[in-house]
């Protein structure tokens, strides 16, 4: 039979539980330095446990970090999903509550902008169709041919395939019409001339079997042509500059007329009165001086 004192003696000989010997973890988390807290925790585990004796330590720690990260991201997604419907409804409500005047104003702005774009495109088309600056010969260089002019004549140069023979050329020169092309092909030029010409004084020739030159003698030798044939691009005659050396070849009357035309063109380009307008101003000044008793405050020169 066991004696009670024996049991008491055995109980006194049992070792004290290890839980009473664990040291407390005293590190405090600093939000600005979370890695410091983690380092302190790992040092504590190294001293108070067998964690760092495991061969798969890094793998185990990475698994724990990944698990915590996934949990945090899942909670963040849930929070955003809860907040999204609220924001969406608020945006919908703002649109529904927007005054109709504001909506109409936005539509009006779009219409105005669209109209401005259309007008800009139309202006660009008008510029393309408008008068162009002349080339050095006071004419124009076009895709299939070029032309130049003096007050007496118009010269047209048309490139043709090298080796072209004169028998392959079809050229008809009439008083008010010019047609040119190669036989068996659509005409390159076919239209009514800007002004009548002198047919007997006009001629065409094949030069070096590479281009054709057409010389048209103007019937009115006091005016610049705006285009070769009607409907083709026009030249800005205000920018025409005849060579001064050729003025000496003209008779005195013609030369005087040409010089007057050149002077008037320069005056117009600078916004100044022409020779005729200046002459009218001189006559009016002379008349005003002879009749000081009259009121000329409303007089206008037409």
């Amino acid at each position: 039979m066991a004696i009670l004192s024996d049991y008491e003696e055995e109980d006194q000989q049992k070792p004290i539980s290890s839980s009473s010997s664990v040291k407390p973890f005293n590190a405090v988390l600093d939000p600005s330095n979370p890695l410091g807290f983690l380092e302190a925790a790992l040092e504590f585990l190294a001293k108070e446990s067998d964690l760092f004796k495991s061969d798969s330590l890094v793998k185990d720690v990475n698994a724990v970090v990944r698990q915590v990260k996934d949990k945090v991201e899942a909670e963040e997604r849930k929070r955003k999903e809860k907040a999204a419907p609220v924001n969406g409804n608020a945006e919908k409500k703002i649109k529904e509550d927007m005054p109709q005047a504001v909506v109409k104003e936005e539509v009006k702005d779009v219409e105005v902008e669209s109209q401005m774009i259309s007008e800009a495109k139309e202006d660009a088309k008008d510029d393309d169709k408008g008068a162009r600056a002349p080339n050095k010969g006071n004419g124009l260089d076009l895709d299939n041919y070029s032309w130049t002019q003096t007050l007496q004549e118009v010269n047209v140069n048309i490139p043709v395939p090298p080796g072209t023979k004169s028998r392959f050329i079809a050229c008809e020169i009439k008083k008010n019409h010019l047609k040119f092309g190669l036989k068996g092909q659509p005409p390159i030029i076919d239209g009514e001339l800007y002004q009548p010409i002198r047919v007997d004084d006009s001629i065409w020739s094949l030069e070096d079997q590479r281009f054709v030159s057409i010389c048209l003698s103007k019937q009115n030798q006091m005016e610049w042509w705006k285009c070769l044939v009607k409907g083709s691009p026009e030249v800005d005659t205000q920018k025409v500059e005849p060579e001064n050396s050729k003025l000496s070849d003209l008779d005195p009357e013609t030369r005087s007329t040409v010089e007057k035309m050149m002077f008037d063109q320069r005056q117009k380009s600078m916004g100044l009165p022409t020779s005729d307008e200046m002459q009218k101003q001189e006559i009016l000044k002379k008349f005003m001086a002879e009749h000081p008793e009259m009121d000329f405050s409303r007089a206008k020169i037409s």
Side-chain angles (χ1 to χ4, degrees), residues 5 25 35 37 58 101 148-149 152 176 215 220 244 301:
S5 59
F25 179 62
L35 293 179
F37 176 81
V58 175
T148 60
Q149 66 174 322
Q152 291 77 34
N176 295 299
C215 180
N220 179 4
N244 295 329
I301 300 177

Side-chain angles (χ1 to χ4, degrees), residues 10-26:
E10 291 177 0
D11 291 339
Q12 292 176 359
Q13 292 178 356
K14 290 181 179 181
I16 300 174
S17 175
S18 60
S19 59
S20 60
S21 62
V22 175
K23 295 181 180 179
F25 179 62
N26 297 324

Side-chain angles (χ1 to χ4, degrees), residues 97-284:
D97 295 342
M98 182 181 295
Q100 290 297 322
V102 176
V103 176
K104 291 180 180 180
E105 188 66 26
E106 291 181 352
V107 174
K108 183 178 179 181
D109 291 342
V110 173
E111 291 176 351
V112 171
E113 183 177 356
S114 177
Q115 183 178 358
M116 291 175 64
I117 294 174
S118 299
E119 291 177 355
K121 290 182 179 179
E122 290 297 327
D123 292 341
K125 291 181 180 179
D126 293 340
D127 291 341
D128 291 340
K129 296 179 181 179
R132 303 181 184 180
N135 57 22
K136 294 182 179 180
N138 297 321
L140 285 177
D141 298 324
L142 303 178
D143 293 337
N144 297 328
Y145 65 91
S146 64
W147 63 278
T148 60
Q149 66 174 322
T150 64
L151 283 173
Q152 291 77 34
E153 60 188 26
V154 175
N155 290 280
V156 187
N157 289 319
I158 310 168
V160 294
T164 299
K165 305 293 184 181
S166 59
R167 64 176 179 272
F168 298 145
I169 295 173
C171 183
E172 297 179 4
I173 301 176
K174 298 181 180 180
K175 180 179 179 180
N176 295 299
H177 194 94
L178 175 64
K179 183 177 181 180
F180 174 86
L182 298 178
K183 293 180 180 179
Q185 299 183 16
I188 297 174
I189 302 174
D190 187 7
E192 182 181 356
L193 293 169
Y194 180 73
Q195 284 189 356
I197 62 171
R198 298 172 180 173
V199 179
D200 294 339
D201 296 333
S202 301
I203 190 173
W204 69 268
S205 62
L206 177 63
E207 307 292 340
D208 298 330
Q209 297 183 337
R210 299 179 65 88
F211 67 93
V212 173
S213 176
I214 303 176
C215 180
L216 305 176
S217 178
K218 292 181 179 180
Q219 194 171 84
N220 179 4
Q221 299 187 349
M222 296 295 176
E223 186 176 349
W224 299 106
W225 283 21
K226 291 184 177 181
C227 59
L228 177 63
V229 292
K230 294 181 179 179
S232 62
E234 296 185 355
V235 64
D236 185 358
T237 55
Q238 296 293 330
K239 298 180 180 180
V240 168
E241 297 181 359
E243 296 181 10
N244 295 329
S245 60
K246 293 184 179 180
L247 294 177
S248 59
D249 299 335
L250 303 176
D251 60 84
E253 183 180 356
T254 303
R255 178 174 179 176
S256 176
T257 303
V258 172
E259 290 176 343
K260 179 178 179 298
M261 291 172 56
M262 294 172 60
F263 175 80
D264 289 343
Q265 288 178 356
R266 286 194 297 269
Q267 291 292 98
K268 287 182 179 180
S269 64
M270 294 185 292
L272 300 175
T274 62
S275 56
D276 292 337
E277 293 171 345
M278 293 173 65
Q279 185 177 4
K280 291 178 180 180
Q281 289 179 355
E282 291 296 327
I283 295 173
L284 179 59

Side-chain angles (χ1 to χ4, degrees), residues 25 27-43 65:
F25 179 62
V28 179
L29 174 61
D30 181 3
S32 63
N33 186 23
L35 293 179
F37 176 81
L38 181 60
E39 183 179 359
L42 292 175
E43 290 180 356
V65 172

Side-chain angles (χ1 to χ4, degrees), residues 281-297 299:
Q281 289 179 355
E282 291 296 327
I283 295 173
L284 179 59
K285 288 179 181 179
K286 183 178 180 180
F287 186 80
M288 290 170 62
E290 295 175 352
H291 301 277
E293 72 281 0
M294 299 179 64
D295 183 12
F296 296 94
S297 59

